[in-house]
Structure formats: structure tokens, C-alpha cells
């Protein structure tokens, strides 16, 4: 069987992304070049004091001493990065990942469950999907009768959303899109908030766009997942440039509450067990090694359904889903 990474094109995406990350490094030190680096206070609580967790490929990942938020610091000062480094080939290759048959199938199932959760907030059925990428979520929402609009700045993803799904998508950042305040029943930030250097500002904008009682759904990587806890810097989610903030269930709740949201519920999905078992067997994570001959891995794989259910029960899944409301 073809591995998941190869079947979805993730292997090519990660190779391209690594080349882009390397382009901003200082060849002398191997660290993010001071030319492009900007030291920042905590993006959640503004504290200046943090503890360093690890360095990955020149990008330093830290944890705030006050609120426990994990984030990249210093961060890339995007104002100083040349356009050729700003939107490289990896974002185009990610469109290949998202439009691979295997990934589409997984995402259809995932988004279908999210849409089930959003039914109680339907109101007039107006929905905004921020960073809608290829538009699959909006497409599924429209099939259920939602009137959706998206924002997307990635050119290839935007073209796919407009041409293949016929969606209304604006190609500006949220702050410049000109949406009416309190005009949406539901806003979604699926795989978006981990990319923004100012997550609270984005949540504040979303709160203004939601009607009172409207709902926000988020998906972010879970920094307290089993995979992150076991693999540390080897976990694919850590890169310091594309993902700049790494939420846990408690820090995401903290961020939402600071911007006036009430969290309805959080849960985690996706076991990401394969790279963990590779690492436990002294193999490189994501190396596509058959671990079933290892006694521990074999036992866990034979009980995979139970293991995955337990990981979700303990909030150890790789992806964190959260539903919050703007109080009425
Ligand atoms: Zn903090």
C-alpha cells in the first residue's frame, strides 16, 4: 500500500517547505538570520519572559512563563522578507495535498462532523470561512443550504475554490475584506490561527463579524498531543515560520476568553500514531517504516481503535477542535 504521505503528496510538500525555511537562515550560525528576525512578547498575554523548548532548523520554539503559550520566538519579520521567499512553491504543493483523493475523503468526513456541530447556530445560514483554502468546507456547507463566503490569499487555492467549486471567495486579509459587523451566524477558522502572528487580533475581528449568539469553530494543531509530547522538534507541526503559534486546549480557551468568547467545547482528533511508533522503535518519524514486528508497536496497532479512542478521551489527538460562541 502507498504510504499516506506519498499518496497525498505530503512528502514533496515537506521537502519544498524545508528548502523555503532554510532560505531565511544565517549560514554562519544555522539560526534564523537576524536580518529577518523579530523578538516578540507573548502573543497571548504580552509577557516578555519565556523558557526555550527547542530549536528546529534554526527556528526557536519557546513557552511563555506566564500563560504557557508555545510560540516561535523570534518570529520572521514578514515585512523584511523578499517576495520570492514570501509565497514559495510549498503553498502550491499543499494544494496538491488537499486535492488528492485520499485527503479529500478524510477532509469530507472531518468537515461533515464540524457542520453537524454548527447546525444549532444556523440562524439565517450566513457563514464565513476565513482562510478557506481550496474551499471544500464551504462547498460542503453550501450543499447543506448555508450561504457561504470565504477569504483566501493563496493564489492556487483561491483559483481552485472559485473555478472548481464556484464559490464566492475574496482574496484579501480579513481586516480589509469589508464585511458588515455582526453579519455572520458562523465563522470558521480551520487550520488558520496557528499561522497568524497576531492571533488575538484575528479573534477580535471575528468576534465583531459574528452576530450575538453566533458561533466560531476552530481547528489548530494540539501542542499537547501525544505526537508533540513524544516527538518534540521532530513533530511535523513545528516549523517556526508557517506555524508560529502552538495552542493547547487550555491556551486556546484562554485566548478565546480574553477576546470575549465563551467556549462551548473542545476535543481532539487524529492519533498520529505512526510517527510515534517509528520513533519508539528507534526509527525516524515519518520514514514510512513498518513497525508491526516491534512487540510494543504491534500490540498497539492490533488495538488501534481502542488506542485512538483513549487518545481522544485524554485530549492527546494531534488536531484540536474548538467550538465557541459570541455571547448574546
Ligand atoms: Zn503568555
Amino acid at each position: 500500500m502507498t504510504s499516506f504521505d506519498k499518496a497525498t503528496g505530503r512528502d514533496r510538500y515537506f521537502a519544498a517547505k524545508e528548502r523555503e525555511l532554510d532560505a531565511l537562515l544565517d549560514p554562519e550560525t544555522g539560526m534564523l538570520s537576524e536580518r529577518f528576525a523579530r523578538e516578540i512578547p507573548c502573543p497571548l498575554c504580552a509577557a516578555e519572559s519565556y523558557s526555550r523548548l527547542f530549536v528546529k532548523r534554526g527556528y526557536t520554539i519557546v513557552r511563555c512563563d506566564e500563560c504557557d503559550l508555545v510560540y516561535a520566538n523570534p518570529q520572521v519579520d514578514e515585512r523584511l522578507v523578499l517576495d520570492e521567499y514570501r509565497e514559495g512553491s510549498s503553498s502550491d504543493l499543499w494544494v496538491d495535498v488537499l486535492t488528492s483523493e485520499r485527503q479529500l475523503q478524510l477532509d469530507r468526513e472531518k468537515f461533515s462532523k464540524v457542520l453537524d456541530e454548527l447546525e444549532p447556530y444556523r440562524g439565517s445560514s450566513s457563514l464565513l470561512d476565513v482562510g478557506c483554502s481550496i474551499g471544500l468546507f464551504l462547498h460542503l456547507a453550501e450543499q447543506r443550504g448555508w450561504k457561504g463566503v470565504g477569504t483566501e490569499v493563496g493564489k492556487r487555492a483561491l483559483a481552485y475554490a472559485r473555478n472548481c467549486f464556484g464559490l464566492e471567495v475574496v482574496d484579501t486579509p480579513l481586516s480589509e475584506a469589508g464585511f458588515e459587523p455582526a453579519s455572520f451566524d458562523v465563522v470558521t477558522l480551520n487550520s488558520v490561527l496557528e499561522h497568524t502572528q497576531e492571533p488575538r487580533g484575528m479573534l477580535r475581528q471575528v468576534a465583531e463579524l459574528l452576530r450575538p449568539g453566533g458561533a466560531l469553530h476552530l481547528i489548530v494543531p494540539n501542542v499537547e498531543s501525544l505526537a508533540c509530547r513524544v516527538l518534540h522538534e521532530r513533530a511535523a507541526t513545528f516549523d517556526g515560520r508557517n506555524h508560529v503559534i502552538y495552542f493547547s486546549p487550555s491556551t486556546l480557551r484562554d485566548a478565546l476568553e480574553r477576546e470575549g468568547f465563551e467556549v462551548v467545547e473542545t476535543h481532539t482528533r487524529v492519533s498520529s500514531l505512526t510517527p510515534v511508533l517509528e520513533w519508539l522503535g528507534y526509527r525516524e518519524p515519518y520514514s514510512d517504516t513498518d513497525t508491526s514486528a516491534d512487540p510494543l508497536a504491534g500490540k498497539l496497532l492490533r488495538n488501534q481503535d481502542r488506542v485512538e479512542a483513549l487518545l481522544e478521551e485524554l485530549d492527546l489527538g494531534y488536531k484540536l477542535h474548538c467550538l465557541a460562541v459570541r455571547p448574546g
Side-chain angles (χ1 to χ4, degrees):
M1 194 171 96
T2 318
S3 78
F4 179 68
D5 279 8
K6 284 207 179 69
T8 58
R10 270 181 170 71
D11 53 344
R12 277 171 293 141
Y13 165 74
F14 281 121
K17 194 173 81 168
E18 284 185 3
R19 285 194 296 276
E20 287 164 17
L21 294 173
D22 284 350
L24 301 181
L25 301 185
D26 181 336
E28 299 264 303
T29 63
M31 299 296 289
L32 174 60
S33 167
E34 285 185 19
R35 272 196 304 153
F36 301 124
R38 185 169 63 107
E39 185 84 15
I40 58 163
C42 172
L44 177 45
C45 77
E48 306 272 351
S49 140
Y50 58 78
S51 304
R52 180 188 279 226
L53 295 185
F54 50 77
V55 172
K56 180 171 183 179
R57 300 179 71 88
Y59 293 81
T60 309
I61 309 297
V62 307
R63 173 182 275 141
C64 174
D65 290 337
E66 295 294 323
C67 76
D68 287 338
L69 183 74
V70 177
Y71 61 102
N73 200 13
Q75 295 198 348
V76 176
D77 189 338
E78 296 291 347
R79 293 167 305 181
L80 301 179
V81 175
L82 296 170
D83 280 342
E84 65 186 288
Y85 296 141
R86 199 182 305 275
E87 201 189 344
S89 61
S90 72
S91 59
D92 277 354
L93 287 171
W94 189 245
V95 173
D96 289 339
V97 173
L98 293 176
T99 54
S100 67
E101 205 37 60
R102 199 144 161 206
Q103 188 68 43
L104 282 170
Q105 184 57 34
L106 285 171
D107 286 345
R108 271 190 215 106
E109 289 166 21
K110 173 177 73 179
F111 290 150
S112 178
K113 287 183 188 145
V114 173
L115 285 163
D116 288 344
E117 282 184 67
L118 293 172
E119 280 301 330
Y121 304 94
R122 187 180 271 271
S124 63
S125 298
S126 61
L127 184 153
L128 168 64
D129 189 13
V130 179
C132 69
S133 188
I134 64 165
L136 179 65
F137 180 79
L138 273 178
H139 173 66
L140 297 174
E142 288 197 341
Q143 286 182 336
R144 295 188 183 211
W146 290 89
K147 289 170 287 193
V149 58
T151 70
E152 178 54 52
V153 290
K155 286 190 179 60
R156 212 181 138 205
L158 175 75
Y160 195 97
R162 283 175 174 169
N163 302 334
C164 298
F165 288 132
L167 296 166
E168 182 189 345
V169 183
V170 298
D171 59 351
T172 53
L174 186 56
S175 54
E176 296 160 25
F179 296 123
E180 286 292 311
S183 61
F184 291 99
D185 298 298
V186 163
V187 177
T188 49
L189 286 171
N190 294 332
S191 307
V192 168
L193 207 58
E194 66 271 29
H195 297 274
T196 173
Q197 295 184 334
E198 293 175 9
R200 288 190 57 184
M202 178 165 277
L203 292 176
R204 203 170 306 139
Q205 289 170 44
V206 167
E208 283 166 10
L209 295 174
L210 275 175
R211 66 165 166 85
L216 166 63
H217 188 275
L218 307 102
I219 302 176
V220 293
N222 177 16
V223 75
E224 290 184 359
S225 61
L226 179 73
C228 287
R229 284 164 179 250
V230 171
L231 300 173
H232 295 190
E233 67 271 28
R234 289 173 186 80
T237 195
F238 293 113
D239 65 50
R241 169 90 196 279
N242 295 312
H243 290 180
V244 293
I245 313 272
Y246 304 91
F247 289 101
S248 67
S250 60
T251 56
L252 182 60
R253 175 181 290 270
D254 188 356
L256 285 161
E257 289 178 352
R258 284 173 195 256
E259 294 305 331
F261 286 94
E262 277 174 16
V263 174
V264 178
E265 71 101 32
T266 63
H267 61 263
T268 69
R269 290 273 182 272
V270 184
S271 68
S272 217
L273 202 53
T274 305
V276 170
L277 296 181
E278 287 169 336
W279 183 241
L280 293 178
Y282 301 94
R283 305 295 186 135
E284 270 305 304
Y286 312 99
S287 60
D288 200 17
T289 309
D290 180 358
T291 57
S292 59
D294 175 64
L296 169 64
K299 249 181 230 171
L300 290 169
L301 288 171
R302 280 192 296 281
N303 293 284
Q304 193 159 359
D305 288 350
R306 281 163 62 201
V307 172
E308 290 184 354
L310 182 63
L311 292 181
E312 288 188 10
E313 195 183 313
L314 298 173
D315 285 341
L316 290 172
Y318 197 57
K319 294 291 180 180
L320 171 59
H321 291 226
C322 177
L323 181 66
V325 293
R326 177 185 173 189

